[in-house]
Amino acid sequence: MEKLLLLGDEAIAQGAIDGGMSGIYAYPGTPSTEIMEFVHGSKIAEELNIHRLWSTNEKTAMESALGMSYAGKRSMVCFKHVGLNVAADAFVNASITGVNGGVIVVSADDPSMHSSQNEQDSRFYAKFTLIPILEPSNQQEAYDMAYYGFELSEMLNVPVMLRITTRLAHSRAGVQRKDMKKQNQLRLPSDPRQFVLLPAIARKNYKKLLGMQPAMEVESEKSPFNQYIDGANKKLGIIAAGLAFNYLMENYDNGKNPNPILKLSQYPLPEKQVAKLYNECDSILVLEDGAPLIEEMLKGFLNLGKPIHGRLDGAVPRDGELNPNIVAKALGMEIHEGQDVPDVVKNRPPSLCQGCGHSDVFLALNEVLLEYGAGRVFSDIGCYTLAALPPYNSINSCVDMGASITMAIGAADAGLVPAVSVIGDSTFTHSGMTGLLDAVNKNSPITVIISDNSTTGMTGGQTSAAHGRIYDICKGIGVDPEHLKILTPLKKNHEENVKILREELSYNGLSVLIPTRECIQTFARRKRSEKGESNE
Amino acid sequence: MKSDIILGGVGGQGILSIAAAIGLAALKNNLHLKQSEVHGMSQRGGDVQSHLRISSKPIASDLIPKGKADLIISVEPMEGLRYLPFLSNDGWLVTNITPFNNITDYPNIDDIMKQIKAFPNHIAIDADTIAKAAGSSRSSNIVMLGAASPFIDIPYEKLEEGIRQLFGKKGEELVNTNLKALKAGREFTEKNR
Ligand SMILES: Cc1ncc(C[n+]2csc(CCOP(=O)(O)OP(=O)(O)O)c2C)c(N)n1
Ligand code: SF4
């Protein structure tokens, strides 16, 4: 079969399609978004009618995937690492229910926080839920793991985590496809109570999960993704997990490694291989693109064994993503960098697009807030978060999706009145609606601005779950229609918008304002595609 | 053979079409390829880069190590300088000279040009003007590719094939404009290196 040039994300999507997936469930988030988008563009997925609509958030995605698994079919869930926090309740309990059809959970980590609030390492979640992790070192493995992961999940009766990081997600290389597998038939679980987690059943299921651990280890020992590569110099043995393996090999001319290497891409850790490396070598260097998970396990709390080097002893920086240079330094190699960046080069932070509706919202808000003083705007995550930067300097918080409304409630409870929250349409339906119900129930003295650009802008313009229905949702949740208003954020409406904002901020209760104007990027794309279609 | 190329620019300037054209040409030559891109937050008008690695042998890392790049192609003059730590001593800096000014403290262009000219192996080209003359200001990226092409170890004809494939779906006229842009860029470098 032909070789395809695919991003790591796309390789996962293709592998899952070829591996017999019946449905993919996801909420966008860099660096995971392109997995679902690839399935959207895939002709085969269309022909096979693979379920492929965006979910409202990561938890609904995880649960829907589990439902598909219950019905016997293979499903994949995709999100960025912080999405796993949102999905965590379902994710953790899915290891207790087990699966019927295979489930792969793709969690895309973002070490160095290129587009994220933190750099949490998803492997910890998989470790404490006692399920296997697949961590590809290249695009081909990403494909192979998605292809093979469903079977592994069905064999071990647990969801399998496929953990990637930004660099692999967004890097392209050639990928060899395999023959397509058939999708599973609709088939109920053989035990009708498998998914009923009443305490008595959950206790039984949990013991089963614990009993499965040796089988998971056996799979890791014989996994083609884990590889013991011998080397003559036993002073140092190297464990290279996932992508770290490539950075390591980059430093060896002609691919010849002087030290023994354990290439690690399937967990739980293969105990025999790790022990072999430990016993044969005087010391160990652990290279992992994320937190020091393996390193901590080997080192132990009291660090009584052989020297273990890595992020904890400074051989590798404690935070941030790996690269070939960091690995070279850890190996004690010399690096010949090019010239320094000249002083004339300035930072170029991202910014709101020229003419973005969010900017009109912040210009109006800034003007009204002059009367109340700064420090009272709780924002959320989306393009509008860029208003934290000059020239707006408008917002005072960005924590997690949905936190704008609820943090404003708490601050108002503490006496910061009025408090303002700014949230986007996609974030509002993701996890702002429940917070708004809290505000309605207490009639909190806050002004909620739902800046509705009819899209999920920050991640590239995916459909927004409640497109055109934000007003009705707010009304349904119980916002007083007197204080529920739609604005049009345009320069020419500035005075009018300032007036409305001023009125609502002075109201001692809950107001919801919905500035509504389409993102100019999605608008332009829509126009282009409409034009393109009419030419054909 | 091996070419390690860093592409630089500002989010929205479309550096990935340059990468795609080289990538397609590399595939036609049965070369190995890895290309790391920036998606997400920085695409919103921030600085963006792509590491493109082509080799006759398998490639390990998706990222180019510092000091190892053979070539920087930058569609914006300040952005090219940002990646100098990656460039090897005998590498080439090929940059457009039209600034993209979306920050308040954008430096004086003369100071930027001084730094570019201080670098021995450089090509500074007015890709926007040359693209316009070739038929479309939107093909300035392909002018940049043409200007960089003498430093990429892929036959010129394969790059042309890459362009044909990249723009083929959008019609013969666009293909020809871009082939012209590619040639104009290459001629500039041949005259000025
Ligand atoms: C839990 C979680 N999931 C996904 C993301 C990624 N993400 C950041 S912003 C955003 C979209 C925001 O859309 P919207 O609120 O409509 O604002 P816009 O960007 O369109 O202005 C997403 C999906 C995240 N940061 N956290
Ligand atoms: S992508 Fe859309 S929402 Fe985001 S800054 Fe640009 S115009 Fe605004």
Side-chain angles (χ1 to χ4, degrees):
Chain A
M1 226 180 275
E2 83 271 40
K3 227 176 182 175
L4 303 172
L5 188 59
L6 298 178
L7 293 176
D9 274 352
E10 298 172 341
I12 290 172
Q14 188 67 58
I17 292 170
D18 294 346
M21 171 175 76
S22 298
I24 174 165
Y25 298 88
Y27 181 75
T30 316
S32 70
T33 313
E34 292 80 2
I35 306 172
M36 177 65 110
E37 288 185 334
F38 184 84
V39 179
H40 284 168
S42 156
K43 285 223 173 70
I44 312 172
E46 193 180 338
E47 278 160 26
L48 296 174
N49 199 20
I50 293 175
H51 179 90
R52 56 190 187 284
L53 293 178
W54 290 110
S55 300
T56 303
N57 69 31
E58 293 86 354
K59 179 169 181 281
T60 67
M62 180 74 219
E63 290 156 351
S64 304
L66 193 62
M68 182 165 272
S69 163
Y70 172 92
K73 299 199 178 179
R74 294 178 166 178
S75 60
M76 177 175 266
V77 197
C78 311
F79 35 63
K80 68 182 297 172
H81 58 341
V82 286
L84 181 52
N85 299 335
V86 176
D89 201 4
F91 173 80
V92 173
N93 289 309
S95 77
I96 313 288
T97 60
V99 302
N100 187 20
V103 178
I104 299 176
V105 181
V106 185
S107 192
D109 291 354
D110 189 18
S112 280
M113 307 178 229
H114 299 282
S115 304
S116 309
Q117 322 92 289
N118 74 34
E119 59 171 29
Q120 67 186 59
D121 186 326
S122 298
R123 294 177 301 166
F124 285 90
Y125 268 100
K127 185 167 182 288
F128 84 80
T129 46
L130 305 170
I131 66 168
I133 308 167
L134 300 170
E135 189 187 6
S137 70
N138 59 40
Q139 292 77 355
Q140 184 66 53
E141 278 189 349
Y143 174 92
D144 294 344
M145 287 171 171
Y147 183 84
Y148 148 84
F150 294 118
E151 264 164 45
L152 185 69
S153 163
E154 285 164 11
M155 178 172 58
L156 298 169
N157 186 35
V158 282
V160 168
M161 174 181 283
L162 179 46
R163 186 249 184 183
I164 53 170
T165 52
T166 306
R167 213 43 81 175
L168 181 66
H170 291 163
S171 172
R172 248 173 244 285
V175 170
Q176 187 68 55
R177 282 181 67 190
K178 297 184 188 337
D179 292 336
M180 287 192 64
K181 288 186 200 164
K182 278 223 173 65
Q183 293 182 30
N184 290 352
Q185 296 292 321
L186 187 71
R187 175 177 49 90
L188 292 183
S190 51
D191 171 4
R193 300 205 301 174
Q194 177 191 338
F195 286 78
V196 186
L197 293 186
L198 279 169
I201 301 170
R203 282 194 286 269
K204 212 176 77 207
N205 282 7
Y206 186 49
K207 282 209 195 304
K208 228 161 106 187
L209 173 66
L210 292 170
M212 248 353 211
Q213 297 305 302
M216 291 182 196
E217 260 182 56
V218 169
E219 288 308 311
S220 292
E221 294 288 358
K222 64 179 198 203
S223 166
F225 305 122
N226 292 337
Q227 229 179 322
Y228 192 98
I229 308 165
D230 212 356
N233 182 351
K234 314 275 183 196
K235 284 211 173 87
L236 182 74
I238 304 168
I239 296 184
L243 208 51
F245 178 69
N246 295 349
Y247 297 143
L248 175 63
M249 296 315 284
E250 180 70 29
N251 285 293
Y252 297 136
D253 288 339
N254 301 319
K256 295 236 159 42
N257 55 299
N259 304 86
I261 298 173
L262 176 54
K263 171 194 176 297
L264 204 114
S265 282
Q266 180 167 342
Y267 309 66
L269 291 186
E271 192 185 318
K272 285 188 195 134
Q273 292 170 47
V274 175
K276 179 174 150 80
L277 191 77
Y278 186 87
N279 291 332
E280 287 187 359
C281 300
D282 302 341
S283 62
I284 303 285
L285 170 66
V286 185
L287 301 170
E288 41 196 335
D289 206 10
L293 175 130
I294 301 172
E295 190 183 344
E296 256 174 18
M297 288 172 75
L298 294 194
K299 202 163 193 160
F301 185 65
L302 295 176
N303 192 15
L304 298 174
K306 294 178 179 174
I308 309 286
H309 306 295
R311 293 195 186 264
L312 294 172
D313 73 342
V316 177
R318 182 64 181 80
D319 62 341
E321 83 171 315
L322 297 179
N323 62 41
N325 297 104
I326 287 175
V327 172
K329 254 187 221 149
L331 295 170
M333 292 178 170
E334 238 182 285
I335 301 166
H336 304 281
E337 285 194 17
Q339 291 188 9
D340 289 343
V341 182
D343 290 338
V344 64
V345 176
K346 296 287 181 276
N347 285 338
R348 199 190 293 262
S351 55
L352 289 174
C353 304
Q354 286 277 327
C356 171
H358 293 321
S359 75
D360 293 298
V361 173
F362 287 110
L363 291 177
L365 182 63
N366 280 355
E367 191 170 323
V368 177
L369 282 177
L370 288 177
E371 297 152 30
Y372 291 96
R376 56 182 76 240
V377 181
F378 300 88
S379 185
D380 227 296
I381 305 190
C383 284
Y384 45 89
T385 315
L386 296 170
L389 307 174
Y392 308 97
N393 304 309
S394 303
I395 67 170
N396 308 108
S397 79
C398 156
V399 180
D400 64 77
M401 289 186 78
S404 58
I405 299 179
T406 32
M407 282 183 71
I409 292 174
D413 289 346
L416 187 68
V417 178
V420 179
S421 66
V422 183
I423 185 169
D425 48 326
S426 182
T427 302
F428 176 66
T429 49
H430 176 284
S431 51
M433 298 189 293
T434 42
L436 185 62
L437 183 57
D438 279 347
V440 164
N441 290 346
K442 310 199 225 190
N443 196 24
S444 295
I446 66 173
T447 299
V448 176
I449 300 173
I450 306 174
S451 195
D452 182 358
N453 59 0
S454 314
T455 191
T456 317
M458 180 104 265
T459 45
Q462 296 76 20
T463 351
S464 184
H467 178 46
R469 287 174 289 154
I470 302 288
Y471 181 90
D472 290 343
I473 289 173
C474 294
K475 215 167 117 192
I477 287 174
V479 178
D480 178 356
E482 290 263 320
H483 298 282
L484 174 60
K485 291 173 187 161
I486 295 179
L487 325 176
T488 307
L490 280 169
K491 225 185 224 119
K492 62 172 190 188
N493 297 343
H494 179 76
E495 290 312 322
E496 186 190 337
N497 291 341
V498 164
K499 184 168 159 274
I500 297 172
L501 267 164
R502 184 174 287 125
E503 278 165 18
E504 296 307 331
L505 256 81
S506 69
Y507 167 61
N508 191 29
L510 172 67
S511 308
V512 177
L513 301 176
I514 312 173
T516 306
R517 175 154 74 83
E518 185 175 0
C519 157
I520 55 175
Q521 298 291 349
T522 39
F523 176 79
R525 210 166 328 134
R526 197 159 53 77
K527 287 290 160 205
R528 271 202 302 275
S529 81
E530 279 170 15
K531 219 167 101 196
E533 270 157 27
S534 63
N535 284 347
E536 271 169 16
Chain B
M1 93 28 92
K2 154 196 112 76
S3 277
D4 281 338
I5 306 169
I6 293 198
L7 297 153
V10 181
Q13 281 192 306
I15 58 168
L16 294 184
S17 62
I18 305 180
I22 304 175
L24 289 169
L27 282 191
K28 288 189 188 303
N29 259 10
N30 288 320
L31 295 169
H32 293 273
L33 176 135
K34 278 199 175 177
Q35 183 210 331
S36 136
E37 308 173 355
V38 171
H39 296 206
M41 190 110 177
S42 331
Q43 280 179 302
R44 227 34 87 253
D47 53 276
V48 292
Q49 54 171 311
S50 170
H51 289 211
L52 178 61
R53 315 191 73 186
I54 307 164
S55 172
S56 46
K57 285 192 252 161
I59 302 162
S61 166
D62 298 78
L63 292 174
I64 300 169
K66 286 195 176 148
K68 294 278 178 72
D70 304 297
L71 176 63
I72 293 174
I73 307 177
S74 179
V75 298
E76 206 275 350
M78 183 178 80
E79 292 307 322
L81 298 172
R82 199 183 293 285
Y83 306 107
L84 284 184
F86 285 93
L87 199 57
S88 73
N89 287 337
D90 48 5
W92 280 82
L93 168 63
V94 179
T95 180
N96 189 9
I97 59 168
T98 311
F100 189 99
N101 187 347
N102 65 343
I103 48 175
T104 48
D105 57 347
Y106 194 90
N108 187 318
I109 182 70
D110 296 336
D111 295 338
I112 295 177
M113 291 312 296
K114 220 184 277 160
Q115 291 291 339
I116 292 171
K117 289 191 177 137
F119 198 78
N121 295 341
H122 78 268
I123 300 288
I125 176 171
D126 185 350
D128 296 62
T129 303
I130 293 179
K132 223 174 266 164
S136 161
S137 55
R138 289 181 60 190
S139 55
S140 71
N141 277 351
I142 303 302
V143 173
M144 289 307 305
L145 173 56
S149 64
F151 311 114
I152 306 172
D153 206 355
I154 294 180
Y156 184 69
E157 305 73 51
K158 297 285 174 191
L159 285 175
E160 288 184 320
E161 277 177 45
I163 301 269
R164 277 198 196 93
Q165 193 177 339
L166 190 62
F167 296 101
K169 269 194 222 132
K170 296 179 182 163
E172 194 56 23
E173 200 185 312
L174 199 64
V175 170
N176 287 333
T177 311
N178 280 295
L179 287 175
K180 247 164 95 184
L182 185 76
K183 187 150 167 258
R186 187 175 177 99
E187 282 169 357
F188 179 90
T189 295
E190 279 166 349
K191 267 190 231 126
N192 293 283
R193 68 186 286 185

